[in-house]
């Protein structure tokens, strides 16, 4: 079957059905899809072509001499494209010696008439007829096809009936390109403000526009008309308005688009403002929507078959679709796809794709998060699993004699051990340290040798490349690699032989300065699989924890004591080395950024009992520093060997204007924050300590985190060496090497390192390395998937966090009252941080009725008529009766926490100030929190979650088990285990937590 350009464009989601195999996609059709539907749809097609399960191919018909046909004078582009595809189909039929019938499917009725009987053996039919004749039992495809056809017919009828235009027409592509080149127009990516989706959007400059426009800030696009049918994420072209028409960013807190207008809050200083005149690349994707209620359907008009559905992502406008299932689908999350947005329509047109699940059900909400982040969670295929090694009791895996000859064997010479969260299955890394004969020290970092089991361009390699990362959600994870690798043969478990890639340094015995470094493949046998808390206890000299370490249980007292002394020395020496490494980076300006880590405490029935801030340990930093050191040295090695095609990770300096709020907040406490460099910023943050309130420094570091730009993977051939620097870690070169089980970037780096070692030995490089261009494209894909992983993890955490507070009485439930710290002032409220739960959110000082907050003599709050007055570092609420209360930056207040349900969007946490005094917590809890804050100021990423057991009661147990079997290739033993694994990811590299 060969689809023409229109079929590929309109029916791609049907072509993705696993039943449809062996499709030949012509280059002409693929290029048309890219130009007309944008990068997302084009990438879907590319992934379809790469997926071996579909057995599809791309034929470059325009580069084949017999298939290329120039466009004739007066011939429309559409007719030429259809003719080119048909001629290529005819050539292919003859190429197969007329033995393989060809079916070309097209939506062009004239083409069906013209070509249908022209060549025997080449059949030209409509897509609908193709499904009817070849796939009569594929019900889902027929329903989807009918939905697309109905949507198309209604768009055509609407276009014929409509005369007025709601939006101006987009300028032709050649006009846009010429305007960008001349400087009249500016190119950038549209980012819609999720808090004011109908009012505010910003265009972030990209390409030449960023350098040539002279602008230092984003461009504001105010209102839907000025957005001109562009959607969040589109690459747009804007024209600046005259300066007297520039507007300012609204400074008020806002729950919906009408709030700030109703309250009359003044905007900030005017900023460059423009309007969209064209779209270079559409970012359309699948959207999760909610159908209107019965009342809303009635209010939309008489035609109930054509309705407006509301996207879960409130940055996306409502979408008009045609369906006869409105009533049946009112309680479900549904996927739709946008087809077009005509200038005559207020809303884009789309069609129904599939149902995800009921609103509020756990599985439906998780599926929503996955679709919104374009995450595919299909099980590993049979072809991929056939490539996997076998390790069963009947046929156990063993080290091969060939590998024993080629690798350095560390099993008898090195004390190798891992330090991980409790219950961790996928152990990427182990450590070793020993004293050499000359008195110097040897430090080793040993990483799972995943590339031994994942050959380049194998089925499993292609799948891992597509996934790019292991996705961690609050109650599950979706592995990049099958569990036979991730939890078994590539996991460096205790007491078993494993292949590793090692970096081993010789260190001076007193200064710990690096003298030599060795890279290579090794065989290791980890002696201990420690968990963080046990390692910290040993470091602190508390040896009672030995009873919890399985490797010590069956030893006699003498052997136990000897091995314990050996292990304690190794952990202590590693910690000393890590302190030295950290101090060296600190002198260069390494940043210690702020986050809050939350542990979920469960009761006997696995229901959530509490959310508790977790105490960081020094051993966390010990492991992290060793991993950063290995990443840094591997980055140097692969760059030296392949200066134009190495995969590194860069973290550019943040824009100075992003630090303005940090500087102002610090000033309110009498601190000066110097942001000229990472070194001055780090020193300033270290000095900004309020002895009476440790929360102040944590919040300032958190603001510094928010100002940071994201770190990105890149090919060294794509930019100058001075741009390689990692701002947050204060390193000139950095990459990711230490987590190949979880990150595809690390697999690429392992292959580069092996090639560099072969190059040093003047041996043949076995793997064909990617060119700089191909590597840069791969980096863009991995960066995109990393963002999706971060967003999905955050959204799933917020989902479960809301479930923790849902259905609780905020007036009487103890968990709903907590101490909060004000960290930002707005015109109608404040932003509050809740240290107890790691929550940040808005607390309004003026409600929707226009009443303002008032606090009486007992400090309890109530709503009264009055006004608000905002100052630089405080906000004052004054009632008409003359009572006033002032809230300052870093004031402690008592906050009520509740979950705010939403039918169309995700649930949100709602904060309400109930007293302008700090919350008086019980002495026991106060002691716990104080010791938590003072014991260590090592900080890590926010990990907020709640147990899924409460939700699971609403879903049939067998359905959940089926879904786990279908989607969760590896499932942790408990939520505690999963959260520990998530924390482990953050600890390996501060960049994982803060976009570095």
């Amino acid at each position: 079957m060969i689809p023409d350009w229109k079929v590929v464009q309109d029916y791609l989601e049907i072509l993705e059905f696993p039943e449809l195999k062996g499709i030949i996609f012509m280059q002409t059709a693929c290029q048309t899809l890219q130009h007309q539907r944008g990068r997302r749809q084009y990438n879907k097609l590319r992934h379809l072509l790469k997926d071996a399960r579909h057995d599809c191919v791309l034929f470059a018909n325009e580069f084949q001499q017999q298939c290329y046909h120039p466009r004739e004078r007066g011939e429309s582009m559409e007719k030429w494209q259809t003719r080119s595809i048909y001629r290529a189909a005819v050539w292919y039929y003859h190429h197969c010696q007329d033995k393989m019938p060809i079916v070309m499917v097209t939506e062009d009725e004239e083409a069906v008439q013209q070509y249908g009987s022209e060549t025997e053996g080449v059949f030209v039919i409509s897509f609908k007829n193709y499904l009817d004749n070849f796939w009569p039992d594929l019900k889902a495809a027929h329903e989807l096809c009918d939905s697309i056809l109905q949507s198309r017919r209604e768009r055509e009828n609407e276009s014929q009936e409509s005369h007025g235009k709601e939006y101006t027409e987009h300028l032709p592509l050649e006009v846009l390109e010429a305007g960008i080149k001349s400087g009249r127009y500016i190119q950038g990516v549209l980012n819609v403000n999720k808090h004011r989706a109908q009012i505010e959007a910003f265009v972030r400059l990209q390409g030449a526009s960023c350098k040539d426009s002279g602008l230092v800030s984003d461009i504001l696009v105010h209102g839907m008309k000025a957005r001109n049918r562009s959607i969040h994420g589109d690459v747009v072209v804007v024209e600046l308005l005259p300066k007297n028409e520039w507007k300012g960013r609204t400074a008020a807190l806002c729950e919906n688009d009408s709030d700030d207008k109703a309250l009359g809050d003044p905007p900030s200083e005017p900023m460059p403002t423009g309007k969209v005149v064209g779209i270079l690349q559409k970012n359309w994707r699948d959207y999760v929507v909610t159908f209107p209620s019965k009342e809303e359907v009635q209010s939309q008009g008489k035609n109930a078959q054509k309705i407006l559905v509301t996207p879960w992502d409130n940055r996306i406008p409502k979408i008009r679709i045609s369906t006869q299932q409105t009533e049946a689908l009112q309680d479900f999350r549904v996927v739709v796809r946008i087809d077009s947005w005509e200038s005559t329509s207020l809303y884009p047109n789309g069609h129904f794709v599939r149902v995800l699940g009921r609103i509020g059900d756990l599985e439906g909400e998780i599926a929503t998060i996955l679709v919104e982040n374009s995450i595919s969670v299909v099980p590993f295929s049979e072809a991929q699993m056939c490539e996997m090694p076998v390790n069963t009791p009947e046929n156990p895996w063993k080290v091969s004699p060939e590998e024993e000859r080629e690798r350095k064997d560390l099993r008898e010479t090195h004390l190798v051990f891992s330090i991980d969260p409790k219950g961790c299955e996928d152990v990427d890394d182990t450590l070793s340290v020993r004293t050499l004969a000359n008195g110097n020290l040897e430090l080793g970092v040993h990483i799972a040798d995943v590339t031994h089991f994942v050959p380049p361009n194998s089925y499993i390699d292609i799948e891992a490349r597509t996934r790019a990362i292991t996705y961690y959600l609050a109650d599950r994870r979706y592995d990049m690699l099958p569990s036979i690798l991730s939890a078994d043969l590539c996991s460096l478990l205790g007491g078993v032989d494993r292949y590793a890639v090692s970096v081993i340094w010789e260190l001076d015995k007193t200064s710990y300065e690096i003298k030599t470094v060795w890279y290579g493949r090794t065989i290791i046998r980890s002696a201990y699989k420690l968990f963080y808390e046990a390692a910290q206890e040993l470091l602190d000299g508390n040896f009672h924890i030995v009873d919890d370490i399985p490797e010590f249980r069956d030893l006699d007292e003498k052997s136990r004591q000897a091995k314990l002394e050996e292990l304690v020395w190794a952990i202590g020496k590693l910690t000393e080395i890590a302190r030295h490494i950290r101090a060296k980076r600190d002198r260069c300006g390494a940043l210690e950024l702020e986050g809050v880590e939350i542990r979920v405490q469960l009761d006997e029935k696995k229901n959530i009992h509490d959310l508790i801030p977790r105490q960081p340990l020094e051993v966390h930093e010990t492991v992290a520093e060793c991993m950063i050191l290995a990443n840094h040295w591997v980055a140097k090695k692969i760059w030296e060997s392949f200066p134009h095609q190495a995969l590194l990770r860069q973290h550019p300096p943040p824009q100075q204007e992003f630090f303005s709020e940090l500087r102002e907040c610090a000033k309110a406490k009498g601190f000066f924050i110097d942001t000229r460099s990472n070194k001055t910023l780090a020193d300033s943050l270290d000095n900004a300590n309020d002895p009476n309130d440790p929360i102040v420094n944590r919040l300032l570091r958190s603001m510094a985190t928010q100002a940071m730009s994201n770190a990105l993977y890149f090919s060294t051939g794509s930019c100058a060496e001075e741009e390689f620097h990692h701002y947050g870690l204060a390193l000139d070169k950095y990459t990711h090497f230490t987590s190949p089980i979880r990150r595809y970037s690390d697999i690429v780096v392992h292959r580069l390192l092996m090639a560099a070692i072969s190059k040093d030995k003047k041996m043949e490089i076995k793997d064909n390395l990617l060119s700089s261009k191909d590597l840069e494209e791969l980096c863009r894909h991995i960066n995109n998937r990393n963002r999706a992983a971060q967003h999905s993890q955050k959204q799933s955490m917020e989902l479960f966090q809301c479930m923790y507070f849902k259905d609780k009485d905020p007036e009487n439930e103890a968990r709903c009252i907590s101490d909060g710290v004000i960290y930002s002032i707005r015109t109608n409220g404040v932003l509050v941080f809740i240290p107890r739960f790691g929550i940040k959110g808005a607390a309004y000082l003026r409600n929707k009725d226009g009443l303002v907050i008032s606090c009486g003599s007992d400090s309890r709050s109530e709503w009264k008529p009055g006004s608000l007055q905002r100052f630089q570092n405080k906000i004052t609420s004054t009632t008409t009766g003359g009572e006033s209360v002032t809230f300052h930056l870093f004031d402690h207040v008592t906050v009520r926490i509740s979950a705010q349900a939403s039918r169309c969007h995700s649930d949100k946490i709602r904060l309400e100030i109930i007293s302008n005094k700090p919350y008086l917590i019980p002495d026991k809890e106060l002691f716990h929190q104080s010791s938590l804050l003072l014991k260590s100021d090592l900080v890590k990423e926010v990990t907020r979650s709640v147990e899924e057991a409460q939700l699971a009661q609403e879903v049939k147990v067998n359905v959940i088990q089926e879904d786990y079997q279908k989607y969760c290739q590896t499932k942790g033993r408990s939520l505690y285990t999963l959260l520990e694994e998530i924390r482990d990811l953050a600890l390996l590299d501060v960049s994982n937590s803060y976009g570095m």
Side-chain angles (χ1 to χ4, degrees):
M1 191 265 272
I2 297 177
D4 85 339
W5 63 276
K6 185 67 172 172
V7 171
V8 176
Q9 180 174 293
D10 289 352
Y11 298 101
L12 182 58
E13 60 261 54
I14 299 180
L15 300 179
E16 291 174 327
F17 275 44
E19 292 83 358
L20 274 63
K21 300 179 185 294
I23 301 172
I24 300 174
F25 290 93
M26 294 296 172
Q27 172 196 358
T28 303
C30 297
Q31 288 180 340
T32 304
L33 178 74
Q34 182 182 17
H35 294 149
Q36 297 202 7
R37 285 298 173 89
R39 184 187 298 159
R40 278 187 181 271
Q41 290 294 90
Y42 181 61
N43 283 341
K44 277 180 172 286
L45 176 59
R46 293 182 63 197
H47 291 150
L48 175 63
L49 285 163
K50 290 178 180 178
D51 192 335
R53 291 169 290 188
H54 288 276
D55 199 24
C56 298
V57 294
L58 170 67
F59 179 56
N61 60 298
E62 294 181 25
F63 292 101
Q64 212 280 345
Q65 191 171 9
Q66 283 78 31
C67 294
Y68 175 71
H69 294 274
R71 187 176 167 189
E72 297 175 353
R73 184 184 295 273
E75 185 178 27
S76 69
M77 179 64 74
E78 292 80 6
K79 293 297 181 185
W80 171 76
Q81 289 164 342
T82 301
R83 182 168 64 89
S84 295
I85 293 171
Y86 174 73
R87 294 302 174 197
V90 172
W91 177 87
Y92 187 71
Y93 173 69
H94 294 318
H95 177 72
C96 296
Q97 299 180 350
D98 299 354
K99 293 180 180 179
M100 176 71 71
I102 303 296
V103 178
M104 174 180 166
V105 290
T106 178
E107 293 300 278
D108 187 339
E109 294 181 4
E110 292 183 11
V112 174
Q113 296 296 324
Q114 180 179 352
Y115 303 127
S117 57
E118 181 176 305
T119 305
E120 184 179 358
V122 180
F123 304 94
V124 183
I125 60 176
S126 70
F127 191 68
K128 175 69 173 168
N129 287 339
Y130 170 74
L131 289 179
D132 290 341
N133 287 284
F134 291 89
W135 301 99
D137 299 327
L138 201 56
K139 185 180 177 182
H142 284 274
E143 291 176 351
L144 190 50
C145 181
D146 292 339
S147 172
I148 294 170
L149 287 172
Q150 183 181 356
S151 175
R152 184 193 299 162
R153 284 193 295 269
E154 297 205 354
R155 287 200 309 274
E156 291 171 353
N157 294 336
E158 185 179 273
S159 179
Q160 292 171 3
E161 295 170 3
S162 178
H163 300 291
K165 291 186 181 294
E166 300 290 347
Y167 298 97
T168 58
E169 294 291 346
H170 293 150
L171 297 178
L173 180 61
E174 55 270 21
V175 175
L176 296 175
E177 291 175 342
I180 294 170
K181 192 172 182 179
S182 68
R184 179 180 179 183
Y185 303 136
I186 300 170
Q187 171 185 338
V189 178
L190 187 78
N191 287 280
V192 176
N193 183 342
K194 65 180 180 180
H195 300 295
R196 299 176 186 82
Q198 299 297 316
I199 301 170
E200 282 186 355
F202 301 90
V203 173
R204 182 146 295 171
L205 310 187
Q206 67 169 199
S209 295
C210 192
K211 299 177 182 177
D212 301 339
S213 65
L215 298 172
V216 294
S217 68
D218 297 339
I219 298 172
L220 171 65
V221 179
H222 193 272
M224 292 295 292
K225 289 288 185 183
R227 221 175 289 175
N228 195 7
R229 294 174 287 149
S230 56
I231 292 176
H232 175 78
D234 285 352
V235 179
V236 299
V237 179
V238 295
E239 180 180 24
L240 284 177
L241 300 176
K243 281 195 173 184
N244 59 355
E245 297 182 30
W246 287 9
K247 298 181 181 295
R249 185 193 297 258
T250 306
L253 298 172
C254 187
E255 285 185 291
N256 56 59
D257 296 325
S258 62
D259 282 2
D260 58 301
K261 291 184 287 186
L263 298 173
D265 291 303
S268 61
E269 289 295 316
M271 63 183 295
T273 306
K275 62 180 181 181
V276 174
V277 295
I279 301 176
L280 290 180
Q281 190 166 296
K282 294 171 181 173
N283 192 39
W284 298 355
R285 55 174 173 82
D286 288 350
Y287 298 100
V288 180
V289 302
T290 304
F291 275 54
S293 63
K294 292 181 180 179
E295 296 77 14
E296 290 171 328
V297 171
Q298 293 171 359
S299 68
Q300 287 187 17
K302 298 179 181 178
N303 186 0
Q305 292 185 6
K306 186 185 292 185
I307 60 167
L308 289 174
V309 294
T310 303
W312 186 83
D313 184 346
N314 62 352
R315 298 170 299 183
I316 308 302
K318 290 183 178 181
I319 302 168
R320 180 183 286 112
I321 68 168
S322 298
T323 180
Q324 297 179 345
Q325 305 179 66
T326 303
E327 189 170 342
L329 295 175
Q330 284 176 349
D331 297 326
F332 291 86
R333 301 276 188 219
V334 174
V335 178
V336 303
R337 188 170 290 178
I338 294 178
D339 298 315
S340 66
W341 194 346
E342 309 299 335
S343 60
T344 55
S345 174
L346 278 172
Y347 302 101
N349 298 296
H351 64 270
F352 167 90
V353 176
R354 68 182 186 276
V355 175
L356 287 182
R358 284 190 176 275
I359 297 171
D361 281 0
L362 174 64
E363 295 306 315
E365 297 301 318
I366 291 293
T368 294
I369 291 171
L370 296 175
V371 170
E372 283 295 317
N373 291 284
S374 301
I375 295 174
S376 173
V377 293
V378 294
F380 292 104
S381 70
E382 185 177 349
Q384 292 158 1
M385 295 306 295
C386 284
E387 296 179 337
M388 295 295 95
V390 175
N391 187 26
T392 63
E394 301 77 23
N395 188 14
W397 178 87
K398 296 179 181 177
V399 171
S400 73
E402 181 184 357
E403 292 295 328
E404 275 190 311
R405 288 192 298 272
E406 293 185 359
R407 294 171 180 264
K408 179 180 284 191
D409 195 337
L410 309 182
R411 288 175 289 183
E412 304 298 331
T413 58
H414 289 63
L415 175 66
V416 177
F417 57 93
S418 62
I419 306 176
D420 285 289
K422 274 185 179 178
C424 180
E425 295 176 336
D426 48 350
V427 181
D428 282 294
D429 56 90
T430 54
L431 299 165
S432 68
V433 63
R434 65 174 184 163
T435 303
L436 299 175
N438 61 4
N440 287 335
L441 294 171
E442 180 190 83
L443 169 66
V445 171
H446 316 282
I447 307 300
D449 189 358
V450 173
T451 57
H452 174 81
F453 299 98
V454 183
N457 298 317
S458 59
Y459 287 139
I460 197 61
D461 180 55
I462 293 170
E463 179 65 23
R465 186 189 313 160
T466 301
R467 299 188 182 206
I469 193 170
T470 292
Y471 297 97
Y472 287 84
L473 273 62
D475 66 331
R476 65 195 74 187
R477 76 173 188 248
Y478 299 105
D479 290 337
M480 185 182 78
L481 296 169
S483 59
I484 182 63
L485 296 184
S486 63
D488 191 359
L489 294 182
C490 288
S491 186
L492 307 181
L493 304 171
V496 292
D497 295 346
R498 289 292 181 260
Y499 295 150
V501 178
S502 301
V503 184
I504 300 175
W505 300 268
E506 181 182 345
L507 310 177
D508 183 89
K509 58 186 174 184
T510 53
S511 68
Y512 299 141
E513 291 298 317
I514 294 172
K515 290 182 168 293
T516 62
V517 60
W518 178 88
Y519 308 89
R521 280 185 152 138
T522 56
I523 303 173
I524 66 168
R525 183 186 299 138
S526 178
Y528 303 99
K529 184 174 179 289
L530 301 175
F531 54 96
Y532 281 115
E533 291 78 6
Q536 186 65 47
E537 292 288 344
L538 294 177
L539 183 63
D540 294 339
N542 301 323
F543 300 141
H544 65 275
I545 197 68
V546 168
D547 295 333
D548 294 335
I549 302 175
E551 291 85 354
F552 283 101
R553 287 175 187 164
D554 298 328
L555 297 177
D556 60 72
E557 187 60 34
K558 184 177 180 181
S559 299
R560 172 189 278 214
Q561 189 61 35
K563 287 183 175 294
L564 177 60
E565 290 176 2
E566 181 185 37
L567 179 60
V568 170
W569 177 87
I571 295 173
K573 190 57 67 176
L574 279 176
T575 303
E576 288 179 24
I577 295 169
R579 289 170 185 161
H580 169 81
I581 298 169
R582 175 70 200 200
K584 192 173 182 179
R585 287 199 305 111
D586 284 343
R587 290 194 293 271
C588 297
L591 292 170
E592 186 175 302
L593 300 176
E594 171 61 32
V596 179
E597 191 175 342
I598 300 300
R599 176 172 63 87
V600 177
Q601 188 180 79
L602 307 177
D603 61 20
E604 299 80 11
K605 297 180 180 180
K606 295 271 185 179
N607 293 324
I608 297 175
H609 177 68
D610 204 353
L611 296 175
I612 300 174
R614 187 185 301 281
Q615 179 175 313
L617 307 172
E618 185 176 14
V619 73
H620 292 152
E621 191 169 354
T622 297
V623 175
E625 285 301 330
C626 292
M627 298 305 116
I628 292 171
L629 183 69
N631 288 333
H632 172 54
W633 277 84
V634 169
K636 293 199 297 183
K637 179 64 178 177
I638 62 176
W639 174 76
E640 289 167 359
S641 299
F642 308 106
H644 301 298
Q645 54 192 126
L647 186 152
L648 299 188
R649 190 161 173 83
Q650 62 184 170
H651 183 217
Q655 299 180 34
Q656 286 299 308
E657 61 266 24
F658 292 165
F659 284 123
S660 57
E661 184 174 18
L662 168 65
R663 287 191 290 259
E664 291 300 327
C665 289
K667 187 177 177 182
K669 276 289 185 178
F671 302 124
F672 171 71
I673 303 295
D674 188 344
T675 61
R676 290 175 297 173
S677 71
N678 54 356
K679 172 62 175 170
T680 59
L681 174 60
D683 291 343
S684 299
L685 290 172
D686 288 341
N687 294 327
N689 275 304
D690 184 341
N692 299 318
D693 192 357
I695 295 290
V696 172
N697 188 262
R698 296 173 62 189
L699 283 171
L700 292 176
R701 291 183 185 276
S702 178
M703 292 177 194
T705 303
Q706 297 300 318
M708 295 294 160
S709 52
N710 288 329
L712 299 169
Y713 298 108
F714 70 102
S715 168
T716 51
S718 66
C719 61
E721 186 179 348
E722 55 266 23
E723 298 177 25
F724 293 3
H725 187 75
H726 197 292
Y727 178 87
L729 298 178
L731 295 170
D732 59 340
K733 293 176 185 68
Y734 192 69
T735 192
H736 276 164
F737 160 75
T738 54
S739 291
I741 292 176
R742 305 162 180 166
R743 296 186 300 229
Y744 191 76
S745 57
D746 301 51
I747 290 180
V748 176
V749 169
H750 275 236
R751 289 173 180 157
L752 284 165
L753 180 60
M754 292 303 103
I757 294 170
S758 298
K759 187 177 179 181
D760 288 347
K761 296 178 180 178
K762 296 185 168 38
M763 297 169 58
E764 180 185 356
I765 297 176
K766 295 179 180 179
D767 299 335
N768 292 325
L769 301 181
L770 295 173
S771 67
S772 179
K773 183 179 179 181
D774 290 340
L775 183 58
E776 188 61 23
E777 183 180 349
L778 176 60
C779 288
R780 279 195 294 268
H781 167 68
I782 297 175
N783 290 331
N784 175 275
R785 292 296 82 209
N786 278 355
R787 283 189 292 269
Q790 292 166 5
H791 292 159
S792 60
Q793 180 179 325
K794 180 175 181 290
Q795 289 163 354
S796 70
M797 295 294 179
E798 290 171 348
L799 167 66
F800 281 83
Q801 190 182 55
C802 285
M803 296 313 303
Y804 178 67
F805 291 102
K806 199 172 184 178
D807 302 326
K808 301 295 183 295
D809 183 1
E811 301 288 339
N812 301 312
E813 185 80 26
R815 72 172 69 179
C816 297
I817 309 297
S818 189
D819 188 58
V821 184
I822 296 171
Y823 69 92
S824 187
I825 306 292
R826 295 291 188 265
T827 56
N828 60 342
V830 294
L831 297 180
V832 179
F833 171 57
I834 314 293
R836 176 70 176 79
F837 299 112
I839 294 172
K840 288 182 178 179
Y844 290 85
L845 303 184
R846 177 168 54 196
N847 65 16
K848 292 183 177 180
D849 298 324
L851 304 178
V852 299
I853 196 169
S854 172
C855 297
S857 57
D858 60 352
S859 301
R860 308 300 293 177
S861 66
E862 55 182 320
W863 298 103
K864 293 183 179 181
S867 60
L868 296 176
Q869 188 173 9
R870 178 193 179 192
F871 302 93
Q872 185 68 52
N873 301 315
K874 63 182 180 179
I875 184 170
T876 299
S877 173
T878 306
T879 67
T880 53
E883 303 168 344
S884 68
V885 59
T886 299
F887 297 91
H888 297 82
L889 275 175
F890 302 112
D891 276 356
H892 285 248
V893 293
T894 302
V895 178
R896 179 183 291 125
I897 310 168
S898 59
Q900 184 175 5
S902 172
R903 180 173 175 272
C904 297
H905 310 294
S906 60
D907 293 348
K908 300 293 182 187
I909 291 292
R910 182 182 182 87
L911 305 181
E912 180 185 357
I913 295 175
I914 59 174
S915 171
N916 64 341
K917 299 297 183 184
Y919 176 56
L920 299 177
I921 54 181
D923 292 342
K924 183 178 179 181
E925 189 173 349
L926 178 63
F927 173 79
H928 170 76
Q929 293 192 12
S930 298
S931 63
L932 167 74
L933 295 173
L934 297 175
K935 179 144 186 178
S936 171
D937 52 5
L938 173 69
V939 290
K940 302 298 171 188
E941 171 61 19
V942 177
T943 303
R944 304 190 308 263
S945 174
V946 298
E947 174 59 48
E948 52 97 15
Q950 289 177 311
L951 285 176
Q953 296 172 2
E954 302 174 12
V955 187
K956 291 182 179 179
V957 173
N958 62 331
V959 174
I960 291 181
Q961 290 173 346
E962 289 171 8
D963 285 341
Y964 276 140
Q965 290 172 4
K966 183 175 181 182
Y967 296 123
C968 298
Q969 288 82 28
T970 303
K971 183 176 180 293
R973 299 175 188 170
S974 66
L975 179 60
Y976 175 82
T977 300
L978 185 69
L979 291 173
E980 288 281 10
E981 291 168 352
I982 293 172
R983 179 175 66 145
D984 180 42
L985 273 181
L987 288 170
L988 288 180
D989 179 8
V990 71
S991 63
N992 290 350
S993 301
Y994 300 106
M996 292 184 186

